[in-house]
Amino acid sequence: MLSTISRGLVSSAKRNVALRAMSTNTSATFDLTGSFETYNLDTAPNDTVEVTRDELMEQFKLMYTMRRMEITCDNEYKARNIRGFCHLYDGQEAVATGIDAAFDKEDSWITSYRCHCVALARGGTVAKVVGELFGNVDGYSSAKGGSMHFYNKEYNFYGGQGIVGAQVPVGTGLAFANKYNTPPGQTMPVAIACYGDGAANQGQVWESANMASLWNLPMIFCIENNQYGMGTSIDRHSSHSDYFKMGNHIPGIRIDGMNVMAVKEGMRFVKDFCGNGNGPMYVEMMTYRYHGHSMSDPGTTYRNREEIALTRSTRDPIEFVKKTLVDAGFAEEDEIKALEKQLRKEVQEEVKKAKASAKPPMDSMFTHIYAKDIDGDQEYPPFIRMPDYEKSFVAP
């Protein structure tokens, strides 16, 4: 399995040298050779990228906060303060962070049920994300969404989907809306639907790709290939595991999803391609998840601990950014350690804030079911059956 994981990626040794063509205290140019593989494309992302100290430092802060938030969710779940479904994102932080860095707020984003960190990147806070998992009223979706359903209209984030692959046709609809609402000749906001390798062979994905191609939509089909569809490796669950080539005539690109700089540069290229009327594109992010599929999955019955440990020690996306900051002269190791301590404290304070929030009142169960009009006015349904029939809601 390890050879499969490294396929299409630069080796850990090459990633660690991250050759600088030019370096100052405020910016550096990094070599991305080997980070991309293209399909049906005449052009490709740049093999070098210039990154400022402030930019990389902000990306490190976001990725580290994501990691600490997900580790906290793990602990709170085990303490039974979080119930139900819970799918963690640790190991994949560079994907969400790099995409967000390349996107504008106007671009539409929908993803799978592994959505905590995307919600954080798209205008969320740790308190709101964790508060939603606690089922508290100040949570991201006012305790009505839980782990799999977040939403932020201001940032055009359309949340996670609880059904495997269900976000892809919705994302295609978002791409249609973006094209429809953009005056002819202008660059369109793009739409991205992120889904896992386990969803890549869903029939609704193929139907959506067909429509996106027919209508020349600014749609990005983004496969976050973390190597396992639930507990089944890609070599066992898919006859075609070069996912970026799955669009047939639709162009595709494979990106090193453990390198946030490569993700940003790759997605800058993809956004420019799709937003300028060239139609959809398939993107495969080569990444890895440290936790099991969900909190009910120990993650070690279908892979061994040595594989997880090797990935952590050679390809961890956060350790890569830390080393890059030091090698580029952007920060000293002591500075990064102090920053990590500060971020851990901030996450702890946000969790305390989330815990202090109240549970929603019972009558809130009857709201946001029917709408009177598009302005958001609501009406109560005439009847809602509760588990205890005698306590069911009947409109007066």
Side-chain angles (χ1 to χ4, degrees), residues 52 62 100 125 152 221 226 280 296 317:
T52 67
L62 178 58
D100 186 63
T125 65
N152 191 329
F221 297 86
N226 60 25
S296 62

Side-chain angles (χ1 to χ4, degrees), residues 122-335:
R122 295 302 270 184
T125 65
V126 172
K128 289 178 71 67
V129 171
V130 177
E132 185 63 30
L133 272 61
F134 287 154
N136 291 342
V137 70
D138 293 323
Y140 214 114
S141 301
S142 302
K144 293 190 172 185
S147 173
M148 299 189 288
H149 302 284
F150 293 87
Y151 174 74
N152 191 329
K153 184 177 181 180
E154 180 184 356
Y155 285 82
N156 285 298
F157 174 55
Y158 295 88
Q161 286 280 339
I163 304 300
V164 174
Q167 65 272 26
V168 180
V170 180
T172 305
L174 294 170
F176 179 86
N178 288 349
K179 181 175 181 178
Y180 186 86
N181 290 320
T182 302
Q186 294 188 16
T187 301
M188 297 173 284
V190 299
I192 187 170
C194 294
Y195 53 102
D197 49 279
N201 285 294
Q202 283 269 321
Q204 56 194 333
V205 175
W206 302 108
E207 293 181 46
S208 300
N210 181 56
M211 286 188 284
S213 181
L214 278 173
W215 299 337
N216 214 39
L217 301 181
M219 174 63 184
I220 302 168
F221 297 86
C222 182
I223 303 97
E224 294 190 63
N225 183 358
N226 60 25
Q227 314 305 318
Y228 297 94
M230 296 187 71
T232 309
S233 67
I234 58 175
D235 293 332
R236 294 180 59 223
H237 74 67
S238 182
S239 63
H240 187 348
S241 56
D242 286 334
Y243 296 104
F244 70 114
K245 299 179 180 179
M246 274 189 163
N248 298 314
H249 62 280
I250 298 174
I253 183 171
R254 174 182 277 162
I255 300 174
D256 180 359
M258 305 298 268
N259 181 339
V260 68
M261 296 184 294
V263 175
K264 182 188 176 185
E265 170 57 21
M267 291 309 298
R268 177 205 61 78
F269 169 82
V270 174
K271 172 178 161 61
D272 181 70
F273 179 94
C274 297
N276 283 290
N278 297 302
M281 187 180 293
Y282 268 62
V283 175
E284 180 182 4
M285 296 287 184
M286 299 296 283
T287 185
Y288 193 81
R289 59 169 164 80
Y290 293 147
H291 271 84
H293 172 72
S294 68
M295 286 300 297
S296 62
D297 169 22
T300 54
T301 56
Y302 47 87
R303 58 182 183 176
N304 56 50
R305 297 183 185 278
E306 289 74 19
E307 177 185 309
I308 302 170
L310 180 63
T311 304
R312 283 185 182 274
S313 63
T314 61
R315 295 178 51 234
D316 183 83
I318 295 176
E319 291 301 317
F320 173 67
V321 175
K322 288 168 60 175
K323 188 177 190 309
T324 302
L325 285 166
V326 173
D327 289 349
F330 288 165
E332 299 294 332
E333 289 186 6
D334 289 345
E335 180 183 356

Side-chain angles (χ1 to χ4, degrees), residues 12 14-20 23-25 27-32 49-53 55-57 59-60 63 258-262 316-333 336:
S12 60
K14 180 179 283 188
R15 290 177 66 240
N16 285 340
V17 296
L19 179 65
R20 298 194 304 276
S23 177
T24 68
N25 289 329
S27 67
T29 301
F30 295 92
D31 184 11
L32 299 178
V49 62
E50 184 174 356
V51 180
T52 67
R53 177 192 184 279
E55 179 183 10
L56 195 59
M57 190 65 81
Q59 290 167 2
F60 169 73
M63 292 170 66
M258 305 298 268
N259 181 339
V260 68
M261 296 184 294
D316 183 83
I318 295 176
E319 291 301 317
F320 173 67
V321 175
K322 288 168 60 175
K323 188 177 190 309
T324 302
L325 285 166
V326 173
D327 289 349
F330 288 165
E332 299 294 332
E333 289 186 6
I336 294 175

